[in-house]
C-alpha cells in the first residue's frame, strides 16, 4: 500500500505539472490565434483597399485614353461612347462584393480555444483505479511466468539453442536467387548459399540463419528446401 500511495502522489504531482503546462500552452495558443485574427483582418482590409485603388486607376486611365481618342478621331466617337457607357456602369463596391461571394472560403471565425481540466476528482479516481489494476496485473503476470518457467525442462532450452545456431531440427534451405537487403531486419543472400530456417514470419518472409551465424529476414520465394 505504501508503494501504491507513493505512486499515487507521484502521478498526482506529474498530472498537476502537465495540467499547468497544458493551461499555459492554451493561453499562448489563444494569444497567437488572436494576433493571427487581427493581422488577417488588417491584411484583408489592405488588400481590398489596393484592389479598389487598382480598379479606380484602371477606370480613370481608360477614361482619359478614350477622351483623347475621341478628340483626335471623331469617327471613333460612337465607339468610344459605348466604352464610356460601359465604364459608367462600373461599380467598384459591387465588383468587390461579387468577387467575395464567388471566391470566399468562409465567414465564420475560429472558435475560442477552451481550457479543459484533466485533474478533476473523477479523473484522479480513474487514475488510481488504473494504477491499482496495473499493479495487480504485474504481480499476476510474474506468478504465471514463474510457474511456467519451473514446469519447463532444461532440455527444452538446449533444443532451442541448437535450432537458433542452425543445428538440431532446423530445416536447411539453399538460395536459388540473389537478394540484397533493403531494410535493417533483412539480410543479403547469394545463389547456392545454405540457410537454416528459424521462423516463418508470413507467407512471403522467413527468418533464417546463415552458416556464418548471421540472422535476418529473406523472401520465401528466393530459397528452396534441400531434399
Amino acid at each position: 500500500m505504501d508503494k501504491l500511495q507513493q505512486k499515487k502522489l507521484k502521478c498526482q504531482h506529474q498530472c498537476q505539472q502537465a495540467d499547468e503546462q497544458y493551461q499555459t500552452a492554451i493561453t499562448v495558443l489563444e494569444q497567437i490565434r488572436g494576433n493571427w485574427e487581427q493581422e488577417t483582418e488588417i491584411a484583408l482590409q489592405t488588400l481590398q483597399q489596393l484592389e479598389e485603388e487598382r480598379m479606380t486607376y484602371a477606370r480613370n486611365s481608360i477614361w482619359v485614353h478614350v477622351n483623347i481618342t475621341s478628340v483626335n478621331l471623331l469617327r471613333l466617337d460612337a465607339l468610344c461612347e459605348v466604352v464610356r457607357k460601359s465604364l459608367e456602369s462600373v461599380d467598384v463596391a459591387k465588383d468587390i462584393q461579387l468577387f467575395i461571394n464567388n471566391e470566399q472560403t468562409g465567414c465564420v471565425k475560429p472558435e475560442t480555444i477552451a481550457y479543459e481540466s484533466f485533474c478533476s476528482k473523477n479523473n484522479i479516481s480513474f487514475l488510481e483505479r488504473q494504477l491499482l489494476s496495473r499493479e495487480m496485473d504485474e504481480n499476476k503476470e510474474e506468478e504465471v511466468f514463474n510457474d511456467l518457467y519451473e514446469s519447463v525442462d532444461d532440455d527444452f532450452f538446449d533444443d532451442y539453442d541448437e535450432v537458433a545456431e542452425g543445428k538440431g531440427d532446423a530445416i536447411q534451405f539453399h538460395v536459388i536467387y540473389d537478394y540484397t537487403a533493403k531494410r535493417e531486419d533483412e539480410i543479403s543472400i547469394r545463389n547456392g548459399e545454405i540457410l537454416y530456417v528459424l521462423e516463418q514470419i508470413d507467407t512471403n518472409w522467413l527468418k533464417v540463419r546463415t552458416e556464418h551465424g548471421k540472422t535476418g529476414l529473406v523472401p520465401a520465394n528466393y530459397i528452396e528446401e534441400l531434399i
Side-chain angles (χ1 to χ4, degrees), residues 13 26 30 38 45 54 63 81 91 99 114 135 141-142 145 149-150 153 157-158 178 184 220:
H13 179 67
I26 288 295
E30 177 60 24
Q38 293 177 358
Q45 291 177 353
R54 183 190 68 81
W63 191 286
E81 185 64 23
D91 190 327
F99 174 81
E135 185 72 19
E141 182 179 353
E142 183 177 358
F145 177 79
Y149 182 82
E150 293 176 358
D153 297 334
F157 297 102
D158 295 337
D178 292 345
E184 294 182 357

Side-chain angles (χ1 to χ4, degrees), residues 170-210:
I171 304 175
Q172 289 187 352
F173 281 70
H174 71 281
V175 181
I176 57 177
Y177 303 108
D178 292 345
Y179 178 76
T180 302
K182 299 179 177 61
R183 300 185 307 182
E184 294 182 357
D185 57 347
E186 299 176 2
I187 60 173
S188 299
I189 53 178
R190 295 292 177 266
N191 185 16
E193 187 176 356
I194 302 299
L195 303 176
Y196 298 91
V197 175
L198 304 179
E199 181 182 356
Q200 181 174 1
I201 304 302
D202 51 36
T203 57
N204 298 321
W205 293 92
L206 298 173
K207 183 177 181 180
V208 301
R209 176 184 290 274
T210 66

Side-chain angles (χ1 to χ4, degrees), residues 61-112:
S61 298
I62 297 174
W63 191 286
V64 171
H65 177 74
V66 169
N67 287 337
I68 295 174
T69 304
S70 179
V71 171
N72 295 326
L73 303 173
L74 296 177
R75 60 191 179 89
L76 296 179
D77 185 65
L79 297 176
C80 292
E81 185 64 23
V82 174
V83 175
R84 282 194 293 267
K85 289 181 179 180
S86 298
L87 294 174
E88 288 176 355
S89 63
V90 173
D91 190 327
V92 174
K94 289 183 178 180
D95 288 344
I96 291 292
Q97 188 60 43
L98 178 62
F99 174 81
I100 293 174
N101 294 336
N102 293 335
E103 305 297 337
Q104 65 180 347
T105 57
C107 57
V108 180
K109 297 180 180 179
E111 296 181 358
T112 302

Side-chain angles (χ1 to χ4, degrees), residues 119-170:
C119 292
S120 62
K121 293 183 179 180
N122 293 333
N123 288 331
I124 293 299
S125 300
F126 174 75
L127 291 175
E128 291 177 351
R129 292 196 300 271
Q130 289 291 100
L131 182 61
L132 181 60
S133 176
R134 181 179 298 177
E135 185 72 19
M136 295 175 62
D137 292 340
E138 290 178 355
N139 294 335
K140 184 176 181 181
E141 182 179 353
E142 183 177 358
E143 294 177 359
V144 172
F145 177 79
N146 291 334
D147 294 340
L148 179 63
Y149 182 82
E150 293 176 358
S151 63
V152 176
D153 297 334
D154 294 337
D155 294 338
F156 170 80
F157 297 102
D158 295 337
D159 294 340
Y160 178 82
D161 292 338
E162 290 181 356
V163 172
E165 293 174 0
K167 304 175 182 178
D169 296 332

